[in-house]
Amino acid sequence: MASFKPTKIPIYPKLGEKVTPDTLYWKNYKAPVQIKEFGAVTSIDFSPLAPHNYAVTASTRIHIYGPFSQEPVKTFTRFKDTAYSGKFRSDGQLLVAGCEDSVVRLFDVSGKVALRVFKGHTKGVHVTDFTSDCYHILTGSDDYTCRLWDIPNSTELTSYKEHTDYIRCGTTSKLNRDIFITGSYDHTLRVFDARVEKSVMTMDHSQPVESVLLYPSEGLLVSAGGRYVKVWDLLKGGQPLVSLKNHHKTVTCLGLSGNGQRLLSASLDRHVKVYNTTNYKVVHNFDYAASILSLALAPDDESVVVGMTNGVLSIKHRKSPEEKQEVAGKQRRRPVYRIFVKGRNYVPKKDDFLVSKPVKSHLAKYDKQLKRFNISKALDTALESWRKNRKPEITVAVMKELDRRGTLNNALAGRDEQNLSQLLNFLIGNVVDPRFTPVLVTATEMILDIYKAVVGQSSVVDRQLVRLQELVEREIDYQQDLLEVLGMLDTLFASSLPRKEVPCPGSSRPNGLAEGGLGAPGPQLQAA
Amino acid sequence: MVEHADIRMVHRGGSKINFREPVFTNDSRFLLCAAGESVKVYSTSTEECIHDLQGHTDLVTGVVLNPLNHLQVYSCSADGTVRLWDFTDGILIKTFIIGYPIYSIYVSEKHGGVVFVVVPMANYKSSEQFQLVAVHLPRSGDQEVEARELSAVLCDVSPHPGAASFGREGEYIAAAKDLQLEVFFFKKQKSYRFSLKSGIKKGVKNAFTCVSCHPKEDCIATGHADGKIRLWRNFNQKKEYTYSTLHWHHGAVNTLCFTPEGTNLLSGGIESVLVHWRYKQENQKDFLPRLGAAITHIAVSPDGSLFCTSHSDNKITIIQSCVKVSAVIQGLVKGEGVWTNLIIDPRSKALVLNGKPGHLQFYSLHHDKQLYNLDIVQQEYIHEEGLDQFEVVKAAFDTHGDWLATVEERRKKGSELEVNLKLWAYDKLTQSFVLNTTVTAPHEDRITAMFFSPSPETTMLVTTSLDGHFKAWLLADHSDTKAEGAFWSCDFVGGYHLLKPGCCCFSADGSLLAVGFQEVVTVWSPASWELLTTLSQPPGAIRDLCFGRLSCSKYLLGTSTKNQLCCWNLLTCSLEWSTPMDVSLLQTDPLSENMAAFCNQSGSSDLFVFKPSEPRPLYSQKALCTGKVQHAVFAPRDQMLESCEERTQWLNRSQLYFVTQHMDLLTFSTKTEEDRLLASRKQLVVDDSVAVTPFYLLLGKHRMQQLEKQEVLPNPMAERTQLPQGSIAIKELLHTPAHVLPSASFLCAMFVRSLLISSSSAREEKEPEEEEMESEKEEEDSEGEADSRQGESAAWGPSKELGAPALTKAQERELRRVKTFDHSWLSSLLDC
């Protein structure tokens, strides 16, 4: 004697993105804090020192924000024109910034007035950086040159004029004080050695380069330009490793997560994408309100700061572990009741004779009613469960089961106004859901057949029927539109794909028919 | 072609055991049931088949116990004979030749020496009408007796055995047909007829389906097609009869049965619920629901402790006093069709096919026994007529039996098709398949073929469907997502000019996939999903595709609907040969190059076994069976046969099983193999008819020791090998309780002898001594047992002396011991 098999509630796949450790990690940020700056935020840089303040370059000022303050803790306003590229030194004491007026200024973080002013460029300076020995400054300018400056003497050491267009990005090596890399709008990346007169390596990005990034190991170089993010192997003489094309507008900024395992790219298409650095697959995606110009991550990914063209600075802080716990605690449901089973922990002794009781399987209420063939009640119970916790799967599964038993008609019939309006409510809510449509369309047809004689007697039901009709009409129009789009796409694909001929080795006899016709010695399978 | 005497077709398993009502023996230890052309004796406790009473030459149509001797059983058959058997030993006692095909048999204690059988009426040639006749079985010593003494009792009865029943103490017999119940009283030699209105206008179906009479009172219970049960009383007159109606069943009542004391009435029908009515308190009823399939027969053991129900899925359930199912005897389930084809499970080597609705059955071919049922659909089956329910339509195993893929479908009337593809992983712990992935609506239309790739690197499944696509499914490890474990997902969707694919086939190494799109065969590379080549042989769509194996793996064979069997050479991509043949089925042997083709020719099927590379078939058999062969499979053998003969060589590695139109499972076998099988089966029969009692334990042990001793004595060579056991005597001496030990002088001699260094005489001496001690011990436990033994040895003594004058020393000593033994008890035994 088999036991009753309960109704199977199908588990529908969750729509949307899959939950991976990456999405969990990157979603674990609080709602962003937004600060309005005076102009487009062109650069953000975190201080390497403990409180990890960050310098935000926007318009003609540089603001320094504390990790949790919404007001700037310090502001540098001594710029004649738009400031660019505010950068901290590795000890966090000095800050350098370029300016559209071609002057490079060096500030003490605690002071207000520029300590040094480096003059020599003839056009705006978009790139500034400290070398790893802390005594020199690298600058790159729109006059196609990049220069090295000495801080103590505020003199120009060297000037390289190899690029043939604006230099808009550059970085210095953190391991070697003499090596730096610049990227330019002439589509090239150049690696310079201060000890040598000329560039030591040139890579062609084939798009104007907007941003460069060195891996902490400095074996790999990442460049962004156009819609592409490219990774180069410096140790192999600048060989391209991968080319990523995940944005649909120019990529403006690159970043690396705290542990160096994830690469971030920000673009004018308002997205920040997170890549896995082992397989260079996109593992997460952030959406922002406007085109992004700059991006920076606090050490250990404590916060993600993004600057946009509309001058909004968006700061996301990581949720602290306590807060996370609190949320989890809220979700955990306490048991509603507790059962103490006597002798539950009793372990039978060696010689005890064990009488096993059949385990009673728990059945849901609608299953119990289905077992007793109370079909109308089972449908009522299923509808009730939908009203309570909005799970249409259960209701649809019960309807499907009734349909399979051939009794859906009987279960739907004989309802009063209130009951019928509930049923119609359910149908209106779910009939266009593609997962449920096959079952619910049958049910709807049955309801219309059953109750067509009483249409017009109740205003509530009539109104719902009209709504249902509108819904179905809208859905039909929608489907038609979709089919039209599909047809268009098909023609596009058909015309764009190259026509491929099926290779046929025996081209002289297309399908072997000729060979067979020539009377090959076939077996005589006819039984004599 | 020569008819090969050495290869024969053999029926393999799966005879219907639910055809007629089974019979309990008087001690309820055995159950007898008609199974095809034989009567099977099952043990009610172990479900084992103990005897197979073979002898009838046609379908057995009834089994009843001999009312005069409860160790004998009558069986009747459509071959026109009634046979009397001794079912405990499985011996045919007598054969009574009636001369007409018999449809059912009834006996009653009151009518000894007479059996009542239903035979076609002699004057109606159409044999549409049947009569109940009494047959006087002649008393004669012969094995075969002609019983021509027939006297008609009732005319125009139903051939269904449930439609007639003997009343209280055999005084009357009630028979029902259509809308009429007829009761015949033997004493008055008079019959009464009671009719019901047809009631068809009102939508009632009043027709009788079964009859059962109360064993103690004058009451007849009748079942009806509309689910009603009527209890008739006061029927020994024409006018004032009465009946009461019980109604629970919503389908027809298939069977009715009173318990031996008449306190309860059991009924069953298509609902597969056993209903247990209290006699005279009919509103009280018990149910035993969900017995699995429609109940066709109910039988009750003579002491009323066991019930048994036969079900439409070839199953007999034994139920203990209506609350607990105690045993299930399950035959090969033959549903409405085998949609899944015959498949061999690579792990258990069991035959897998459709079983109960929504299940796959695993049937062991070697033991002719169902191993288990796998629930595929996992839905409550509603036992009601006219419902469309899910059916398993396709199933496939991968090469190692780790994965099972099934397709179930349900076609609603005027509505769209529901198809589910399920993938099951083999769980080593539970030794069963566990559901891994369910794909709802894998295709938009019916799935026509499904195969796993045989390549060892990937686990890939390919399905082809009438929606014009074939899909490849891959086991993907999604370890980066939260869901643990691997599941299956679609990897590739292919098509060819929107033609409908009908069949597909992988090459033996899994490097090629051939898909038949109507008239065109496309060959794909599963590694890159590149269309490699297309082959076609225009007239007729491709019906079946097969790659050759082993040395013939360069060939691809295809059959088309327009009577063509083609063989393409894949190296040259050209047709190697083709022959006009209406091949309905093409099968490859997985272990050799052989292929089997079943052809249709003028209403019967022919079989050809051939190699694609050779022009001559290895074996051919004309007119295999009438009708089309539906399904066939090569089942690998456990042990390879070593037949060198050319004709039978193809049977060496695997055996060909096939299913005919009538759902008979047949196979090919050689004579030598059959003989060997028969011999091994005889050895295997366990005689559990002798119950194990404490007495048997004592006596049996003793007997066995005696036997051992007798074996041991004449073989001193065997003795010598046991030398190190010399200390047993000492052990015996030390461990035996003092009060049962023989006298000290006797023991001393034995002890000293045991210390002597081995000589054969010393060894042999030890054994009888031990024996004696043991017998003395047992004497205390059971006097009688030792008696018999000692009596035996006493009787043996003198004869030995006479027969063999030259006695060995051991024997002499034994004799002496016997002489010195106290024989006083023997004289008392002889006195009484």
Side-chain angles (χ1 to χ4, degrees), chain A residues 1 5 400 404 520 523 525 528, chain B residues 1 289 380 389 576-577 608 615:
Chain A
M1 190 177 89
K5 290 171 199 159
K400 201 171 174 186
R404 186 177 71 87
L525 279 179
Chain B
M1 195 142 295
E380 182 75 6
Q389 314 226 28
E576 190 87 6
W577 50 263
F608 299 98

Side-chain angles (χ1 to χ4, degrees), chain B residues 792-809:
Chain B
E792 246 174 65
S793 54
W796 265 90
S799 70
K800 266 188 202 166
E801 222 157 6
L802 289 172
L807 288 174
T808 63
K809 268 187 183 173

Side-chain angles (χ1 to χ4, degrees), chain A residues 1-2 4-5 8 18-21 371 400 403-405 503 509 511-512 515-516 520 522-525 528, chain B residues 1 288-290 375 378-380 382 387 389 410 412 418 480-482 532 536 574-577 608 615:
Chain A
M1 190 177 89
F4 180 83
K5 290 171 199 159
K8 225 173 167 64
K18 290 191 187 92
V19 179
T20 60
K371 190 179 169 187
K400 201 171 174 186
D403 187 31
R404 186 177 71 87
R405 293 178 173 213
R509 28 195 162 77
N511 49 29
E515 182 77 358
Q524 311 301 305
L525 279 179
Chain B
M1 195 142 295
L288 189 62
R290 283 182 287 283
D375 186 0
Q378 297 185 326
Q379 256 178 357
E380 182 75 6
I382 308 296
L387 281 187
Q389 314 226 28
R410 174 173 169 243
K412 284 181 282 185
E418 282 180 64
D480 53 335
T481 54
K482 272 267 160 158
L532 297 175
S536 84
S574 59
L575 191 74
E576 190 87 6
W577 50 263
F608 299 98

Side-chain angles (χ1 to χ4, degrees), chain B residues 152-174:
Chain B
V153 179
L154 290 172
C155 290
D156 190 18
V157 295
S158 156
H160 179 61
S165 170
F166 267 103
R168 176 169 61 92
E169 287 157 10
E171 282 187 359
Y172 57 90
I173 187 165

Side-chain angles (χ1 to χ4, degrees), chain B residues 231-305:
Chain B
L231 294 173
W232 302 72
R233 292 190 180 84
N234 210 14
F235 44 78
N236 50 4
Q237 53 206 343
K238 190 83 191 141
K239 289 277 154 62
E240 289 176 18
Y241 65 90
T242 59
Y243 64 76
S244 56
T245 310
L246 313 173
H247 198 173
W248 181 86
H249 294 277
H250 68 79
V253 182
N254 277 348
T255 175
L256 278 172
C257 187
F258 275 104
T259 53
E261 292 304 309
T263 50
N264 292 302
L265 173 67
L266 305 169
S267 69
I270 192 175
E271 304 88 357
S272 80
V273 180
L274 180 66
V275 189
H276 195 222
W277 310 81
R278 304 256 184 287
Y279 185 64
K280 292 204 167 149
Q281 292 162 301
E282 276 88 8
N283 48 1
Q284 285 183 22
K285 43 188 185 287
D286 291 332
F287 304 102
L288 189 62
R290 283 182 287 283
L291 286 171
I295 296 173
T296 53
H297 305 284
I298 300 174
V300 185
S301 71
D303 58 357
S305 63

Side-chain angles (χ1 to χ4, degrees), chain B residues 82-85 91-97 140-146:
Chain B
V82 172
R83 286 172 199 246
L84 184 64
W85 310 83
I91 302 166
L92 175 66
I93 299 169
K94 250 181 203 178
T95 308
F96 303 100
I97 298 163
S140 144
D142 296 340
Q143 268 280 330
E144 271 188 34
V145 194
E146 292 227 352

Side-chain angles (χ1 to χ4, degrees), chain B residues 610-654:
Chain B
F610 61 97
K611 282 185 189 177
S613 55
E614 283 175 32
R616 261 166 46 82
L618 295 171
Y619 174 77
S620 72
Q621 167 98 41
K622 282 212 100 179
L624 206 60
C625 59
T626 54
K628 243 168 116 175
V629 170
Q630 307 279 334
H631 309 283
V633 73
F634 274 100
R637 285 180 190 277
D638 283 350
Q639 304 155 309
M640 246 181 73
L641 286 190
E642 273 139 22
S643 163
C644 311
E645 209 180 325
E646 200 192 344
R647 299 283 176 210
T648 58
Q649 246 173 4
W650 65 279
L651 282 171
N652 275 1
R653 283 163 184 276
S654 34

Side-chain angles (χ1 to χ4, degrees), chain A residues 109-130:
Chain A
V109 172
S110 52
K112 232 174 168 36
V113 190
L115 288 179
R116 295 278 188 281
V117 175
F118 305 98
K119 288 183 182 163
H121 282 294
T122 52
K123 278 187 178 165
V125 179
H126 281 260
V127 185
T128 58
D129 204 354
F130 290 95

